[in-house]
Amino acid sequence: RSCGGATGGLCCALPPSTPGHLAAALPPQPPPLLLPPIPPRAGEEAEGAGLAAPQVGILKRIFIVDVDENGPIVMINPEIIQTDGCQVGEEGCLSIPGYFSEVERPNYVKVKFQNIDMEEVIMEGEELFARAVLHENDHLNGILFVDRLKGGR
C-alpha cells in the first residue's frame, strides 16, 4: 500500500526538491578525501535519530542515522532507490527546535550510498530506519519535515 490517507499521497508525491524553497538541493558530491568534522555530540542532546551535514554548515551530501543498537550509519551521496507502504508518526528536527508534528512517510526504504570507506552499500529497512533515512535525505534536497505537513508550512 502506498501513502495516501489524509494527505492524499503527499509524502510520495512531493518532488525531491521544489521551487521556492529557501535551501536549494545539493548536487551529488565527488567522494571526499576526508570527511569534514561533525561537531562532537551534535544532535545527541536532542536525542535525534539522525543529522545531515547541511544542518551543521557542511554543504556535502552526507548524513548520519542512528536508530538502533548497531550504532550510527554514515551515508555519503545517498540515493533512494525504492519506497513502499505508509506510516504516520511524530517528527521533530534540530533545524526547528521544539516543534513536532505528525508526518506521513513511506514505511519501507531501499537506499544506495557510499560508506566512510567509499564502498557502495545498499541497505533497506522499515519503520524508524525508513523515517530517519527519508527525513535526513530531505535535508540534502532543501526540504524540512514541515514541508511534508498537510498544507505545507
Side-chain angles (χ1 to χ4, degrees):
R1 180 170 85 86
S2 57
C3 290
T7 62
L10 177 65
C11 72
C12 299
L14 190 64
S17 63
T18 53
H21 280 82
L22 296 176
L26 295 170
Q29 302 293 311
L33 296 177
L34 295 172
L35 287 177
I38 300 291
R41 301 180 49 88
E44 283 186 23
E45 303 85 25
E47 297 180 21
L51 186 69
Q55 289 180 276
V56 291
I58 300 168
L59 300 180
K60 300 285 186 186
R61 291 190 62 82
I62 302 170
F63 63 76
I64 299 168
V65 293
D66 187 3
V67 297
D68 61 28
E69 66 280 349
N70 295 322
I73 301 166
V74 176
M75 297 188 182
I76 301 168
N77 293 324
E79 178 185 341
I80 305 300
I81 54 178
Q82 185 179 355
T83 61
D84 193 31
C86 189
Q87 63 172 307
V88 176
E90 186 175 80
E91 290 188 23
C93 185
L94 296 172
S95 298
I96 309 171
Y99 183 76
F100 300 89
S101 188
E102 296 285 311
V103 179
E104 185 176 281
R105 292 197 184 267
N107 191 54
Y108 165 85
V109 68
K110 183 184 279 189
V111 60
K112 178 171 70 171
F113 61 94
Q114 294 164 310
N115 64 18
I116 58 173
D117 296 320
M118 301 314 295
E119 300 164 329
E120 186 175 288
V121 176
I122 295 178
M123 289 185 79
E124 57 187 333
E126 297 178 323
E127 299 174 358
L128 183 57
F129 177 81
R131 178 173 296 282
V133 166
L134 294 167
H135 178 111
E136 299 309 328
N137 194 67
D138 274 354
H139 281 294
L140 306 184
N141 295 316
I143 298 171
L144 297 175
F145 83 98
V146 294
D147 297 318
R148 299 278 187 197
L149 302 179
K150 184 176 178 181
R153 290 185 194 200

